[in-house]
Amino acid sequence: MTILVTGGAGFIGSHMADHLLARGHRVVILDNLCTGFEENVPAAAEFVKGDVRDPGAVAAAFDKGVEAVFHIAGQASTIVSFDDPAEDLSVNVTGTLNVMNECIRRRVTRVLYASSMTAYGVPAKLPVTEDEPVRPISYYGITKEAAERYLFATAGRVDLDFDFHVTAFRMFNVYGERQSLDNPYQGVVTIFMANILKGEPITIFSDGEQTRDFVYIGDVADAWLRALDNPASYGTVYNVGAGGSISINRLVDVTLDCFGKSRETYEVRYLPERPGDQRHMTADISRLRTDLGWEPRVPFDDGMQRTLRWAVNKSAPGA
Ligand code: UD1
C-alpha cells in the first residue's frame, strides 16, 4: 500500500515510516520541519515538505497515489496551546480537516489518527477506559479531541459514496529514540536526559507526585501497524499506553541513576504546577489487547536504556 505519514519527520511519525517500510509499504511523508528533522525521513520514503494547514501541500502529498493515511502532524505541546491557542487550533483542527477533505475528494478509505490521552482531562477513575467521558483541561486536549470527532463524524456521513474507516489512538506518554533533546515543551523523558547531558538543573513542575503511563515508541508503532488493515479497529478509539503508572519524581531518580548520578550530586528544583497539567494518568489497554492482540513488549527500564544510548550518542561531540 502507499501510505501518507503526516508529521513523518518527527519523533512518532518517523518511527511509523520505518515500520511501514519494513513491512513493504510505500511511504510518502508530509512534514513542514517545524519540530521534525529531515534527517529523520527514511531514505526509502518520498518526502513532501509542506504544512498540513496548506491545502495545496496536502494535495501534493496525495498526488503520490496515497491509499491510507497515518495522520500524526500536529502541534503537540500543552504549553504552546495555552501560549498560542489559535496556532494550536489551526494546526490540529484545520490541518486534520485538510487531510480529511483530501481523503473525501479522492476516496481514500483509511485514516489512522494520533489522538491524545489529554482528551480525558481528569478522569473519574483510573486506569481510564476509552468509554470514560472526555473533558479536556488543556486547549491542546480540546483540539486533539475535536479532530477525532471530525474524523468519526465524517466516517458516519450518509452522503459519502465510499467507506471511510477511521481509527483514533489516544496516546499516553510516548518516549524513545528521536524524541527531541532540544524542545523544552515536549516529552519529559528526553527533557530530563537533555538536562543532564547539558549539565542543566532538572526542573519538576508541581510536587513531582503526578504520574504518567510511559509507553515505548516501538510498541506504539506495533499497535498502529496491527490496526492498519484490521476491520476490528475501524470506527474505534484505542488507548495506547503500557498500563503502568510512574511518578515524575521516580522518573527523575531513574534518569539520574542511568547517568550514575543522584539527587545528592545533581540539582533538582521544584517550580509551580503549569496550566492544563493532568495529575494522574494510566491507560486501560484491554481494548487494544482484545481487538488487535497487542501487548506492550518493552519494559520501562529497557526502553529508558535504549533511549539513553541514543541520547548520549546524539549528544556526543561531532555527532
Ligand atoms: C504529553 C505530551 C502530549 C501528548 C501526551 C500524550 C507534551 C508537552 N505533552 O503530555 O503532546 O499528547 O503526553 O502522549 O509533550 N514535567 C516536569 N519537568 C519538565 C517537563 C515536564 O516536571 O521539565 C512534568 C509535566 O509538568 C507533567 C509531566 O512531567 O506533569 C509529563 O510532562 P510531558 O512529558 O510534557 O507530557 P504531558 O503533559 O503528560
Side-chain angles (χ1 to χ4, degrees), residues 96 114 135 146 198 200 243 285 309:
T96 301
R135 291 192 205 93
K198 292 174 191 160
E200 302 162 352
I285 50 177
R309 276 196 295 277

Side-chain angles (χ1 to χ4, degrees), residues 147-203:
E148 201 184 280
R149 290 195 183 210
Y150 271 108
L151 288 167
F152 283 118
T154 303
R157 270 173 63 169
V158 292
D159 59 329
L160 290 190
D161 59 357
F162 70 102
D163 290 328
F164 187 55
H165 300 303
V166 174
T167 303
F169 297 90
R170 292 192 185 142
M171 298 201 278
F172 284 61
N173 289 66
V174 185
Y175 73 99
E177 298 94 327
R178 292 185 219 146
Q179 193 156 32
S180 179
L181 291 166
D182 301 307
N183 184 344
Y185 302 116
Q186 225 178 320
V188 68
V189 168
T190 47
I191 288 174
F192 288 164
M193 286 185 183
N195 288 153
I196 298 171
L197 286 164
K198 292 174 191 160
E200 302 162 352
I202 287 177
T203 303

